[in-house]
Amino acid sequence: MFKGYDLKCQLVLAVALLSTISITGFSMEVNDPNEILQKRLAEISVRNKGKETDLTKLETDCLALIQDYNSPAQKGKIYAEIAKTYSKKGFDGRNDVRITKAVNYCKKALEQPLDVITACEMHGRLTDSMIVSFRTLPQSQFVELRREAVVFCLNGFKIALDNNAPKEQQPSPAVGIYNIEPNDPDYKKVMEKYQAELADQKKWEFESKLYFQRQVLTELCVCLYSHKPYDTDELEKFARDSLRGHEDVVDELMAKVHERISQQGNK
């Protein structure tokens, strides 16, 4: 996600976030204020795309929407969009001015009610932004920052797990294409089947997004604690406190960390 970050972590996070984006779409319904807000945020993002994107202008344009969309949930959407804007292209080291913006807007978004996927993503992006180029930090500073960052990461992880984030991604269910006239005797039965297929597809999309968030948050934890100074006991304590009710996941997480440390020791 940013220059200087562990390459394996970077690739996993990039693939996961891109996959999350690829299954996100917008409803055709335009009467819902929340859908209209999402559409306007997307328009602002598209309008400001380019190599020399003026992030300050994009931020200002998004904040201007609060005048018309000022419920807590709507403000959360706006802050989250700004946080994504400042963090989605990675950072150029710890002095990158975008880091402070990303951290601040992630925190502002998390102060508002967010949908499950956005809440997970904001915790992940906040963790990601906090630990930019952590390899260059003095050891004592890194240890302190790691303790702070992992709490946010595990909080997002808990949200994903509490919403049944799957361990494995399932294949997409099929949605048929039906050519049938309303006056056909089987029309009602066919439409019921079609609606059921659409519901299965929507459920799969949500579960797939949760799967990718689980992958991102797992990898962030692993990356943080598979670097010296190793302190797997500290991670396990944090994880068992934060992920109560998900002891099996904590066991899997710790196994991944120990495996990564072992792999690095064998190089």
Side-chain angles (χ1 to χ4, degrees), residues 44-64:
I44 290 172
S45 179
V46 170
R47 188 164 65 240
N48 287 279
K49 271 186 177 179
K51 292 184 179 180
E52 302 299 327
T53 298
D54 185 345
L55 297 182
T56 301
K57 184 178 185 306
L58 195 150
E59 175 187 354
T60 301
D61 289 348
C62 287
L63 289 175

Side-chain angles (χ1 to χ4, degrees), residues 161-172:
L161 294 175
D162 284 350
N163 284 275
N164 302 314
K167 184 178 177 180
E168 304 290 342
Q169 187 184 19
Q170 301 302 313
S172 173

Side-chain angles (χ1 to χ4, degrees), residues 173-184:
V175 178
I177 299 175
Y178 303 98
N179 295 314
I180 188 168
E181 297 295 331
N183 58 357
D184 190 295

